[in-house]
Amino acid sequence: MTSSSRAQVGIVGAGPAGLLLSHLLALRGIDSIVVENRSRAYCEARQRAGLLEAGTVELLRAVGLGGRMDAEGLEHGGIYLQFAGERHHLDFRDLTGGRWVTIYAQTEIVKDLIEARLAAGARVEFEVSDTGVTDLDADQPVLGFTDAAGTRHEVTCDAIAGCDGFHGICRDFLPPGLIRVAERGYPYSWLGILATVPPSTDELIYSRHEDGFALHTMRTPQVSRLYLQVPADEDLARWPDDRIWDELRRRLSVPGWELKDGPITEKAISPMRSFVASPMRYRRLFLAGDAAHIVPPTGAKGLNLAIADVTLLAAALTSLLREASPELADAYSDSCLRRVWRATHFSWWMTSMLHTDPHPDPFGTELQLSQLRYVVGSRAAATTLAENYTGYFPLRW
Ligand code: FAD
Ligand code: DHB
């Protein structure tokens, strides 16, 4: 038996993009259903990004989601860039006229969003299967899924948002030949750990070392997060805890500074890729976040881009559905892609400057070191990094 229902907007994926879109639409009086193939516990525990641009923080505050973020988030006014055995500080507030970033984990944003959606009585279906989109060439596309109890549902919608991440299904429902993909692979991955130990630094350390890149970031005053460049397709079994700490200590070392270690509670390897699919819309199916684009994590842009996309999408869907006005919906893909390509360039640039090539040559190495010396030596170059890192495009709600 199939159960039929209606929602103004069908949203696939309960990641940050899908959940925030549902929240923003509700603020404008538009109802939505969110369908997610994982469990709530899985979505809330999935370790991913942690760094929010100033504009992302201001948006979350403006839409009533700032409570715990303001109490628990860690505001940072700069970063350290380390290379050739020396650590240099970049002061973002000074370079950008007061901009900053905040450490607040994606897991916490997702928890805040799920709680807010459920408290508002929203329809969020976890553990669904066989999600699909039909009738895309009509004005009322249909979102189909099977719920956790095994009942098949068909939800007639005015629009559908594919917020289902890079491995989602929505991108493939756009007509063949419409989507143009631009992508770049990288010959390395990141091994990320969470450790129960206070951070050994007040601000993030991005370190280029001849044995590979390392990043020291954090989650709370008691929990550190650290990343190591490892070969692409590396086997996690080759990285017992002692080896990870030894390697982090080597790549992050500077005289007079010590890395504190502690129990590792989470360990994973993530591949790195740049990928942009355009356009991000076909008729009444819209893509947002990782479903349309991914960046290597070095610039900390993935989550911020997902939030920016749905901020534009909520405004576009509001005009389309409430005022029958298609201008913002028609402009959606191009508006997102301007920001996406800036972040794609910045993420590629940070990645290329800081990682060591598996087959290094003196020319490439000297170019990297020259660029790093330029960034820490020239106010103009430092400002370029700072204004991209803290968020170049304003985010309006
Ligand atoms: P997602 O968070 O991927 O959410 C998509 C949701 O859709 C998921 O919950 C998924 O289960 C669901 N879904 C998929 N298919 C279906 C389906 N068929 N039916 C229903 N639901 C479906 N960014 C940074 O800035 N810094 C980092 O350190 C960083 N680390 C990362 C580590 C990993 C392993 C990954 C994968 C990403 C990382 N990112 C990082 C990127 C950042 O986390 C993403 O950009 C962000 O999660 C994008 O949010 P989203 O909502 O678009 O997609
Ligand atoms: C974090 C991850 C990043 O990729 C980055 O550039 C900065 C911070 C993080 O997980 O905190």
mmCIF file of all heavy atoms in Angstrom, residues 12-18 35-38 42-43 46-51 106 128 131 163-169 190 219 225 227 270 288-291 294 297 299-304 306, ligand 1:
data_model
loop_
_atom_site.group_PDB
_atom_site.id
_atom_site.type_symbol
_atom_site.label_atom_id
_atom_site.label_comp_id
_atom_site.label_asym_id
_atom_site.label_seq_id
_atom_site.Cartn_x
_atom_site.Cartn_y
_atom_site.Cartn_z
ATOM 1 N N VAL A 12 15.446 16.194 0.446
ATOM 2 C CA VAL A 12 16.144 14.922 0.598
ATOM 3 C C VAL A 12 17.453 15.185 1.337
ATOM 4 O O VAL A 12 18.306 15.932 0.846
ATOM 5 C CB VAL A 12 16.428 14.269 -0.775
ATOM 6 C CG1 VAL A 12 17.046 12.885 -0.577
ATOM 7 C CG2 VAL A 12 15.146 14.166 -1.599
ATOM 8 N N GLY A 13 17.612 14.587 2.522
ATOM 9 C CA GLY A 13 18.850 14.723 3.282
ATOM 10 C C GLY A 13 18.685 15.565 4.536
ATOM 11 O O GLY A 13 18.246 16.709 4.468
ATOM 12 N N ALA A 14 19.042 14.984 5.682
ATOM 13 C CA ALA A 14 19.007 15.723 6.959
ATOM 14 C C ALA A 14 20.418 16.034 7.424
ATOM 15 O O ALA A 14 20.782 15.834 8.577
ATOM 16 C CB ALA A 14 18.239 14.933 8.015
ATOM 17 N N GLY A 15 21.227 16.547 6.490
ATOM 18 C CA GLY A 15 22.513 17.146 6.865
ATOM 19 C C GLY A 15 22.251 18.609 7.181
ATOM 20 O O GLY A 15 21.101 19.056 7.253
ATOM 21 N N PRO A 16 23.317 19.398 7.348
ATOM 22 C CA PRO A 16 23.118 20.815 7.647
ATOM 23 C C PRO A 16 22.291 21.537 6.577
ATOM 24 O O PRO A 16 21.435 22.373 6.921
ATOM 25 C CB PRO A 16 24.538 21.383 7.703
ATOM 26 C CG PRO A 16 25.466 20.240 7.722
ATOM 27 C CD PRO A 16 24.732 19.006 7.345
ATOM 28 N N ALA A 17 22.499 21.196 5.293
ATOM 29 C CA ALA A 17 21.773 21.904 4.231
ATOM 30 C C ALA A 17 20.276 21.630 4.308
ATOM 31 O O ALA A 17 19.454 22.561 4.355
ATOM 32 C CB ALA A 17 22.314 21.511 2.850
ATOM 33 N N GLY A 18 19.881 20.362 4.358
ATOM 34 C CA GLY A 18 18.465 20.016 4.338
ATOM 35 C C GLY A 18 17.726 20.507 5.569
ATOM 36 O O GLY A 18 16.620 21.055 5.491
ATOM 37 N N VAL A 35 13.464 13.933 4.326
ATOM 38 C CA VAL A 35 13.658 12.478 4.393
ATOM 39 C C VAL A 35 15.157 12.168 4.417
ATOM 40 O O VAL A 35 15.935 12.771 3.690
ATOM 41 C CB VAL A 35 12.960 11.721 3.234
ATOM 42 C CG1 VAL A 35 11.472 11.970 3.262
ATOM 43 C CG2 VAL A 35 13.541 12.067 1.880
ATOM 44 N N GLU A 36 15.545 11.231 5.256
ATOM 45 C CA GLU A 36 16.967 10.946 5.512
ATOM 46 C C GLU A 36 17.143 9.436 5.620
ATOM 47 O O GLU A 36 16.398 8.783 6.342
ATOM 48 C CB GLU A 36 17.372 11.647 6.828
ATOM 49 C CG GLU A 36 18.650 11.173 7.464
ATOM 50 C CD GLU A 36 19.898 11.383 6.595
ATOM 51 O OE1 GLU A 36 20.110 12.511 6.115
ATOM 52 O OE2 GLU A 36 20.653 10.415 6.404
ATOM 53 N N ASN A 37 18.151 8.905 4.919
ATOM 54 C CA ASN A 37 18.262 7.438 4.945
ATOM 55 C C ASN A 37 19.023 6.895 6.161
ATOM 56 O O ASN A 37 18.965 5.717 6.447
ATOM 57 C CB ASN A 37 18.803 6.867 3.629
ATOM 58 C CG ASN A 37 20.141 7.434 3.242
ATOM 59 O OD1 ASN A 37 20.725 8.186 3.995
ATOM 60 N ND2 ASN A 37 20.622 7.078 2.064
ATOM 61 N N ARG A 38 19.694 7.767 6.916
ATOM 62 C CA ARG A 38 20.399 7.312 8.118
ATOM 63 C C ARG A 38 19.521 7.544 9.352
ATOM 64 O O ARG A 38 18.509 8.235 9.287
ATOM 65 C CB ARG A 38 21.689 8.089 8.297
ATOM 66 C CG ARG A 38 22.633 7.993 7.127
ATOM 67 C CD ARG A 38 23.257 6.624 7.076
ATOM 68 N NE ARG A 38 24.375 6.589 6.162
ATOM 69 C CZ ARG A 38 25.327 5.659 6.213
ATOM 70 N NH1 ARG A 38 25.274 4.695 7.104
ATOM 71 N NH2 ARG A 38 26.313 5.676 5.349
ATOM 72 N N TYR A 42 22.960 8.547 14.021
ATOM 73 C CA TYR A 42 24.089 8.556 13.079
ATOM 74 C C TYR A 42 24.353 9.976 12.577
ATOM 75 O O TYR A 42 25.492 10.446 12.546
ATOM 76 C CB TYR A 42 23.770 7.614 11.903
ATOM 77 C CG TYR A 42 24.893 7.501 10.904
ATOM 78 C CD1 TYR A 42 25.836 6.485 11.003
ATOM 79 C CD2 TYR A 42 25.007 8.413 9.850
ATOM 80 C CE1 TYR A 42 26.875 6.384 10.095
ATOM 81 C CE2 TYR A 42 26.047 8.320 8.933
ATOM 82 C CZ TYR A 42 26.980 7.299 9.064
ATOM 83 O OH TYR A 42 28.008 7.219 8.153
ATOM 84 N N CYS A 43 23.275 10.679 12.202
ATOM 85 C CA CYS A 43 23.438 12.056 11.693
ATOM 86 C C CYS A 43 24.060 12.958 12.753
ATOM 87 O O CYS A 43 24.862 13.836 12.437
ATOM 88 C CB CYS A 43 22.089 12.643 11.276
ATOM 89 S SG CYS A 43 21.397 11.840 9.832
ATOM 90 N N ARG A 46 28.060 12.019 13.233
ATOM 91 C CA ARG A 46 28.995 11.968 12.095
ATOM 92 C C ARG A 46 29.998 13.123 12.188
ATOM 93 O O ARG A 46 29.621 14.283 12.090
ATOM 94 C CB ARG A 46 28.141 12.048 10.820
ATOM 95 C CG ARG A 46 28.838 11.797 9.553
ATOM 96 C CD ARG A 46 27.856 11.588 8.409
ATOM 97 N NE ARG A 46 26.658 12.404 8.501
ATOM 98 C CZ ARG A 46 25.554 12.225 7.797
ATOM 99 N NH1 ARG A 46 25.478 11.232 6.933
ATOM 100 N NH2 ARG A 46 24.529 13.016 7.931
ATOM 101 N N GLN A 47 31.280 12.786 12.390
ATOM 102 C CA GLN A 47 32.316 13.819 12.582
ATOM 103 C C GLN A 47 32.697 14.427 11.246
ATOM 104 O O GLN A 47 33.148 13.733 10.346
ATOM 105 C CB GLN A 47 33.570 13.201 13.225
ATOM 106 C CG GLN A 47 33.377 12.773 14.648
ATOM 107 C CD GLN A 47 32.934 13.925 15.551
ATOM 108 O OE1 GLN A 47 33.356 15.077 15.368
ATOM 109 N NE2 GLN A 47 32.084 13.627 16.510
ATOM 110 N N ARG A 48 32.542 15.720 11.159
ATOM 111 C CA ARG A 48 32.926 16.400 9.917
ATOM 112 C C ARG A 48 33.519 17.755 10.236
ATOM 113 O O ARG A 48 34.448 17.857 11.005
ATOM 114 C CB ARG A 48 31.732 16.508 8.989
ATOM 115 C CG ARG A 48 31.393 15.149 8.390
ATOM 116 C CD ARG A 48 30.370 15.297 7.324
ATOM 117 N NE ARG A 48 30.187 14.074 6.564
ATOM 118 C CZ ARG A 48 29.292 13.960 5.620
ATOM 119 N NH1 ARG A 48 28.489 14.962 5.333
ATOM 120 N NH2 ARG A 48 29.177 12.846 4.943
ATOM 121 N N ALA A 49 32.938 18.806 9.660
ATOM 122 C CA ALA A 49 33.557 20.126 9.732
ATOM 123 C C ALA A 49 33.436 20.746 11.124
ATOM 124 O O ALA A 49 32.691 20.258 11.979
ATOM 125 C CB ALA A 49 32.880 21.025 8.712
ATOM 126 N N GLY A 50 34.153 21.843 11.321
ATOM 127 C CA GLY A 50 34.091 22.495 12.627
ATOM 128 C C GLY A 50 34.245 23.996 12.604
ATOM 129 O O GLY A 50 34.130 24.631 13.643
ATOM 130 N N LEU A 51 34.493 24.569 11.428
ATOM 131 C CA LEU A 51 34.837 25.986 11.419
ATOM 132 C C LEU A 51 33.802 26.813 10.654
ATOM 133 O O LEU A 51 33.514 26.540 9.497
ATOM 134 C CB LEU A 51 36.212 26.156 10.770
ATOM 135 C CG LEU A 51 36.761 27.552 10.945
ATOM 136 C CD1 LEU A 51 38.129 27.509 11.596
ATOM 137 C CD2 LEU A 51 36.827 28.273 9.630
ATOM 138 N N GLN A 106 30.086 20.647 13.353
ATOM 139 C CA GLN A 106 28.920 20.314 12.531
ATOM 140 C C GLN A 106 27.967 19.385 13.283
ATOM 141 O O GLN A 106 26.748 19.495 13.143
ATOM 142 C CB GLN A 106 29.413 19.659 11.234
ATOM 143 C CG GLN A 106 28.302 19.303 10.272
ATOM 144 C CD GLN A 106 28.829 18.957 8.892
ATOM 145 O OE1 GLN A 106 29.845 19.467 8.460
ATOM 146 N NE2 GLN A 106 28.130 18.084 8.185
ATOM 147 N N VAL A 128 14.854 6.202 6.052
ATOM 148 C CA VAL A 128 14.029 5.877 4.883
ATOM 149 C C VAL A 128 14.888 5.093 3.890
ATOM 150 O O VAL A 128 16.115 5.058 4.007
ATOM 151 C CB VAL A 128 13.456 7.151 4.208
ATOM 152 C CG1 VAL A 128 12.740 8.041 5.208
ATOM 153 C CG2 VAL A 128 14.545 7.923 3.458
ATOM 154 N N THR A 131 14.616 6.255 -1.863
ATOM 155 C CA THR A 131 14.190 7.628 -2.152
ATOM 156 C C THR A 131 14.255 7.849 -3.666
ATOM 157 O O THR A 131 15.205 7.422 -4.320
ATOM 158 C CB THR A 131 15.165 8.637 -1.482
ATOM 159 O OG1 THR A 131 15.491 8.151 -0.200
ATOM 160 C CG2 THR A 131 14.563 10.013 -1.395
ATOM 161 N N CYS A 163 19.355 17.842 -1.045
ATOM 162 C CA CYS A 163 20.382 18.244 -0.059
ATOM 163 C C CYS A 163 21.029 16.967 0.453
ATOM 164 O O CYS A 163 21.275 16.810 1.652
ATOM 165 C CB CYS A 163 19.744 19.013 1.101
ATOM 166 S SG CYS A 163 18.858 20.492 0.586
ATOM 167 N N ASP A 164 21.240 16.014 -0.465
ATOM 168 C CA ASP A 164 21.586 14.652 -0.059
ATOM 169 C C ASP A 164 23.062 14.329 -0.217
ATOM 170 O O ASP A 164 23.434 13.157 -0.310
ATOM 171 C CB ASP A 164 20.698 13.631 -0.790
ATOM 172 C CG ASP A 164 20.629 13.841 -2.287
ATOM 173 O OD1 ASP A 164 21.039 14.917 -2.759
ATOM 174 O OD2 ASP A 164 20.170 12.934 -2.999
ATOM 175 N N GLY A 165 23.918 15.358 -0.211
ATOM 176 C CA GLY A 165 25.348 15.117 -0.136
ATOM 177 C C GLY A 165 25.922 14.603 -1.444
ATOM 178 O O GLY A 165 25.215 14.371 -2.429
ATOM 179 N N PHE A 166 27.240 14.404 -1.427
ATOM 180 C CA PHE A 166 27.945 14.044 -2.660
ATOM 181 C C PHE A 166 27.490 12.693 -3.209
ATOM 182 O O PHE A 166 27.418 12.495 -4.418
ATOM 183 C CB PHE A 166 29.458 14.034 -2.382
ATOM 184 C CG PHE A 166 30.265 13.746 -3.602
ATOM 185 C CD1 PHE A 166 30.249 14.621 -4.683
ATOM 186 C CD2 PHE A 166 31.040 12.599 -3.686
ATOM 187 C CE1 PHE A 166 30.983 14.356 -5.830
ATOM 188 C CE2 PHE A 166 31.782 12.327 -4.825
ATOM 189 C CZ PHE A 166 31.754 13.205 -5.891
ATOM 190 N N HIS A 167 27.186 11.734 -2.310
ATOM 191 C CA HIS A 167 26.795 10.393 -2.774
ATOM 192 C C HIS A 167 25.278 10.233 -2.860
ATOM 193 O O HIS A 167 24.775 9.112 -2.955
ATOM 194 C CB HIS A 167 27.386 9.329 -1.836
ATOM 195 C CG HIS A 167 28.879 9.358 -1.802
ATOM 196 N ND1 HIS A 167 29.638 8.942 -2.866
ATOM 197 C CD2 HIS A 167 29.754 9.804 -0.868
ATOM 198 C CE1 HIS A 167 30.925 9.116 -2.586
ATOM 199 N NE2 HIS A 167 31.017 9.636 -1.377
ATOM 200 N N GLY A 168 24.554 11.344 -2.839
ATOM 201 C CA GLY A 168 23.097 11.285 -2.885
ATOM 202 C C GLY A 168 22.579 10.901 -4.267
ATOM 203 O O GLY A 168 23.342 10.662 -5.206
ATOM 204 N N ILE A 169 21.244 10.894 -4.370
ATOM 205 C CA ILE A 169 20.622 10.406 -5.601
ATOM 206 C C ILE A 169 20.054 11.542 -6.459
ATOM 207 O O ILE A 169 19.756 11.349 -7.636
ATOM 208 C CB ILE A 169 19.498 9.390 -5.292
ATOM 209 C CG1 ILE A 169 18.594 9.911 -4.160
ATOM 210 C CG2 ILE A 169 20.055 8.043 -4.872
ATOM 211 C CD1 ILE A 169 17.286 10.383 -4.555
ATOM 212 N N TRP A 190 43.247 12.951 4.072
ATOM 213 C CA TRP A 190 43.480 13.421 5.450
ATOM 214 C C TRP A 190 43.090 12.319 6.420
ATOM 215 O O TRP A 190 42.001 11.738 6.297
ATOM 216 C CB TRP A 190 42.602 14.636 5.770
ATOM 217 C CG TRP A 190 43.173 15.948 5.376
ATOM 218 C CD1 TRP A 190 44.203 16.182 4.511
ATOM 219 C CD2 TRP A 190 42.722 17.237 5.837
ATOM 220 N NE1 TRP A 190 44.420 17.541 4.404
ATOM 221 C CE2 TRP A 190 43.531 18.206 5.203
ATOM 222 C CE3 TRP A 190 41.726 17.653 6.711
ATOM 223 C CZ2 TRP A 190 43.360 19.571 5.422
ATOM 224 C CZ3 TRP A 190 41.553 19.013 6.924
ATOM 225 C CH2 TRP A 190 42.378 19.962 6.292
ATOM 226 N N ARG A 219 37.704 21.210 19.250
ATOM 227 C CA ARG A 219 36.249 21.166 19.340
ATOM 228 C C ARG A 219 35.744 21.941 20.552
ATOM 229 O O ARG A 219 34.781 22.673 20.467
ATOM 230 C CB ARG A 219 35.766 19.712 19.396
ATOM 231 C CG ARG A 219 35.851 19.013 18.051
ATOM 232 C CD ARG A 219 34.861 19.619 17.060
ATOM 233 N NE ARG A 219 35.041 19.135 15.696
ATOM 234 C CZ ARG A 219 35.744 19.749 14.758
ATOM 235 N NH1 ARG A 219 36.352 20.893 15.030
ATOM 236 N NH2 ARG A 219 35.849 19.277 13.539
ATOM 237 N N ARG A 225 41.087 18.365 17.875
ATOM 238 C CA ARG A 225 40.917 17.657 16.599
ATOM 239 C C ARG A 225 42.173 17.927 15.789
ATOM 240 O O ARG A 225 42.628 19.087 15.708
ATOM 241 C CB ARG A 225 39.678 18.166 15.866
ATOM 242 C CG ARG A 225 39.456 17.466 14.527
ATOM 243 C CD ARG A 225 38.001 17.112 14.331
ATOM 244 N NE ARG A 225 37.665 16.582 13.024
ATOM 245 C CZ ARG A 225 37.655 15.287 12.714
ATOM 246 N NH1 ARG A 225 38.021 14.384 13.603
ATOM 247 N NH2 ARG A 225 37.286 14.880 11.512
ATOM 248 N N TYR A 227 44.591 16.753 12.142
ATOM 249 C CA TYR A 227 44.590 16.085 10.839
ATOM 250 C C TYR A 227 46.027 15.938 10.342
ATOM 251 O O TYR A 227 46.869 16.807 10.571
ATOM 252 C CB TYR A 227 43.832 16.920 9.804
ATOM 253 C CG TYR A 227 42.369 17.154 10.081
ATOM 254 C CD1 TYR A 227 41.940 18.328 10.685
ATOM 255 C CD2 TYR A 227 41.398 16.220 9.714
ATOM 256 C CE1 TYR A 227 40.585 18.584 10.916
ATOM 257 C CE2 TYR A 227 40.042 16.465 9.946
ATOM 258 C CZ TYR A 227 39.649 17.642 10.549
ATOM 259 O OH TYR A 227 38.308 17.882 10.771
ATOM 260 N N SER A 270 39.724 10.622 5.130
ATOM 261 C CA SER A 270 38.807 11.201 4.125
ATOM 262 C C SER A 270 39.586 11.534 2.861
ATOM 263 O O SER A 270 40.638 12.177 2.940
ATOM 264 C CB SER A 270 38.196 12.513 4.608
ATOM 265 O OG SER A 270 37.839 12.437 5.946
ATOM 266 N N ALA A 288 21.579 21.550 -3.477
ATOM 267 C CA ALA A 288 22.249 22.463 -2.540
ATOM 268 C C ALA A 288 23.310 21.701 -1.753
ATOM 269 O O ALA A 288 23.169 20.515 -1.471
ATOM 270 C CB ALA A 288 21.224 23.076 -1.578
ATOM 271 N N GLY A 289 24.380 22.394 -1.396
ATOM 272 C CA GLY A 289 25.440 21.812 -0.570
ATOM 273 C C GLY A 289 26.251 20.778 -1.339
ATOM 274 O O GLY A 289 26.429 20.865 -2.562
ATOM 275 N N ASP A 290 26.731 19.764 -0.593
ATOM 276 C CA ASP A 290 27.615 18.754 -1.178
ATOM 277 C C ASP A 290 26.962 17.987 -2.331
ATOM 278 O O ASP A 290 27.666 17.343 -3.109
ATOM 279 C CB ASP A 290 28.029 17.730 -0.107
ATOM 280 C CG ASP A 290 29.182 18.215 0.768
ATOM 281 O OD1 ASP A 290 29.438 19.433 0.791
ATOM 282 O OD2 ASP A 290 29.819 17.373 1.428
ATOM 283 N N ALA A 291 25.659 18.012 -2.456
ATOM 284 C CA ALA A 291 25.004 17.350 -3.590
ATOM 285 C C ALA A 291 25.460 17.977 -4.910
ATOM 286 O O ALA A 291 25.467 17.316 -5.950
ATOM 287 C CB ALA A 291 23.483 17.470 -3.458
ATOM 288 N N ILE A 294 31.822 19.824 -3.967
ATOM 289 C CA ILE A 294 32.649 19.562 -2.787
ATOM 290 C C ILE A 294 34.036 20.181 -3.002
ATOM 291 O O ILE A 294 34.490 20.363 -4.132
ATOM 292 C CB ILE A 294 32.778 18.068 -2.435
ATOM 293 C CG1 ILE A 294 33.197 17.248 -3.633
ATOM 294 C CG2 ILE A 294 31.511 17.524 -1.848
ATOM 295 C CD1 ILE A 294 33.463 15.791 -3.261
ATOM 296 N N PRO A 297 39.188 19.978 2.241
ATOM 297 C CA PRO A 297 38.841 20.653 3.500
ATOM 298 C C PRO A 297 39.805 21.750 3.951
ATOM 299 O O PRO A 297 39.505 22.454 4.926
ATOM 300 C CB PRO A 297 38.840 19.507 4.520
ATOM 301 C CG PRO A 297 39.713 18.461 3.931
ATOM 302 C CD PRO A 297 39.581 18.571 2.453
ATOM 303 N N GLY A 299 40.497 24.704 3.228
ATOM 304 C CA GLY A 299 39.989 26.068 3.416
ATOM 305 C C GLY A 299 38.792 26.142 4.340
ATOM 306 O O GLY A 299 38.266 27.226 4.588
ATOM 307 N N ALA A 300 38.321 24.992 4.848
ATOM 308 C CA ALA A 300 37.175 24.920 5.776
ATOM 309 C C ALA A 300 35.903 25.525 5.170
ATOM 310 O O ALA A 300 35.177 26.268 5.823
ATOM 311 C CB ALA A 300 37.515 25.595 7.108
ATOM 312 N N LYS A 301 35.639 25.213 3.903
ATOM 313 C CA LYS A 301 34.527 25.872 3.209
ATOM 314 C C LYS A 301 33.273 25.026 3.022
ATOM 315 O O LYS A 301 32.189 25.564 2.762
ATOM 316 C CB LYS A 301 34.991 26.346 1.815
ATOM 317 C CG LYS A 301 35.975 27.501 1.857
ATOM 318 C CD LYS A 301 35.299 28.768 2.335
ATOM 319 C CE LYS A 301 36.273 29.847 2.696
ATOM 320 N NZ LYS A 301 35.930 30.620 3.866
ATOM 321 N N GLY A 302 33.369 23.672 3.089
ATOM 322 C CA GLY A 302 32.245 22.826 2.683
ATOM 323 C C GLY A 302 30.941 23.145 3.396
ATOM 324 O O GLY A 302 29.906 23.381 2.780
ATOM 325 N N LEU A 303 31.000 23.187 4.699
ATOM 326 C CA LEU A 303 29.797 23.440 5.501
ATOM 327 C C LEU A 303 29.282 24.865 5.274
ATOM 328 O O LEU A 303 28.073 25.102 5.171
ATOM 329 C CB LEU A 303 30.159 23.218 6.973
ATOM 330 C CG LEU A 303 29.153 23.617 8.024
ATOM 331 C CD1 LEU A 303 27.853 22.854 7.836
ATOM 332 C CD2 LEU A 303 29.718 23.331 9.410
ATOM 333 N N ASN A 304 30.202 25.817 5.201
ATOM 334 C CA ASN A 304 29.801 27.213 4.992
ATOM 335 C C ASN A 304 29.101 27.391 3.646
ATOM 336 O O ASN A 304 28.125 28.139 3.536
ATOM 337 C CB ASN A 304 31.028 28.121 5.100
ATOM 338 C CG ASN A 304 31.592 28.139 6.511
ATOM 339 O OD1 ASN A 304 30.991 28.708 7.409
ATOM 340 N ND2 ASN A 304 32.729 27.491 6.725
ATOM 341 N N ALA A 306 27.398 25.035 2.056
ATOM 342 C CA ALA A 306 26.082 24.378 2.138
ATOM 343 C C ALA A 306 25.071 25.333 2.783
ATOM 344 O O ALA A 306 23.922 25.468 2.335
ATOM 345 C CB ALA A 306 26.197 23.079 2.942
HETATM 346 P P1 FAD B 1 25.699 16.128 4.071
HETATM 347 O O1 FAD B 1 26.175 16.596 5.394
HETATM 348 O O2 FAD B 1 26.503 15.068 3.380
HETATM 349 O O3 FAD B 1 24.209 15.638 4.247
HETATM 350 C C1 FAD B 1 23.530 14.900 3.264
HETATM 351 C C2 FAD B 1 22.525 13.978 3.929
HETATM 352 O O4 FAD B 1 21.768 13.315 2.936
HETATM 353 C C3 FAD B 1 23.192 12.910 4.771
HETATM 354 O O5 FAD B 1 22.653 12.906 6.074
HETATM 355 C C4 FAD B 1 22.910 11.621 4.021
HETATM 356 O O6 FAD B 1 22.805 10.507 4.881
HETATM 357 C C5 FAD B 1 21.601 11.965 3.339
HETATM 358 N N1 FAD B 1 21.301 11.162 2.150
HETATM 359 C C6 FAD B 1 22.155 10.743 1.176
HETATM 360 N N2 FAD B 1 21.491 10.030 0.262
HETATM 361 C C7 FAD B 1 20.201 9.981 0.638
HETATM 362 C C8 FAD B 1 19.041 9.383 0.091
HETATM 363 N N3 FAD B 1 19.104 8.652 -1.037
HETATM 364 N N4 FAD B 1 17.873 9.514 0.731
HETATM 365 C C9 FAD B 1 17.791 10.248 1.883
HETATM 366 N N5 FAD B 1 18.878 10.839 2.448
HETATM 367 C C10 FAD B 1 20.058 10.709 1.835
HETATM 368 N N6 FAD B 1 34.079 20.437 5.607
HETATM 369 C C11 FAD B 1 34.833 21.321 6.251
HETATM 370 O O7 FAD B 1 34.625 22.525 6.050
HETATM 371 N N7 FAD B 1 35.816 20.889 7.126
HETATM 372 C C12 FAD B 1 36.029 19.540 7.386
HETATM 373 O O8 FAD B 1 36.884 19.177 8.177
HETATM 374 C C13 FAD B 1 35.240 18.599 6.715
HETATM 375 N N8 FAD B 1 35.401 17.273 6.930
HETATM 376 C C14 FAD B 1 34.616 16.394 6.232
HETATM 377 C C15 FAD B 1 34.801 15.002 6.398
HETATM 378 C C16 FAD B 1 34.030 14.081 5.656
HETATM 379 C C17 FAD B 1 34.231 12.584 5.846
HETATM 380 C C18 FAD B 1 33.061 14.559 4.737
HETATM 381 C C19 FAD B 1 32.226 13.574 3.924
HETATM 382 C C20 FAD B 1 32.883 15.934 4.602
HETATM 383 C C21 FAD B 1 33.660 16.859 5.319
HETATM 384 N N9 FAD B 1 33.486 18.248 5.180
HETATM 385 C C22 FAD B 1 34.263 19.111 5.829
HETATM 386 C C23 FAD B 1 32.501 18.795 4.341
HETATM 387 C C24 FAD B 1 31.253 19.188 5.115
HETATM 388 O O9 FAD B 1 31.067 18.335 6.206
HETATM 389 C C25 FAD B 1 30.121 19.148 4.122
HETATM 390 O O10 FAD B 1 30.378 20.160 3.162
HETATM 391 C C26 FAD B 1 28.743 19.300 4.731
HETATM 392 O O11 FAD B 1 28.412 18.159 5.469
HETATM 393 C C27 FAD B 1 27.719 19.536 3.623
HETATM 394 O O12 FAD B 1 26.431 19.456 4.146
HETATM 395 P P2 FAD B 1 25.235 18.875 3.275
HETATM 396 O O13 FAD B 1 24.043 19.006 4.133
HETATM 397 O O14 FAD B 1 25.269 19.476 1.929
HETATM 398 O O15 FAD B 1 25.600 17.337 3.037
#
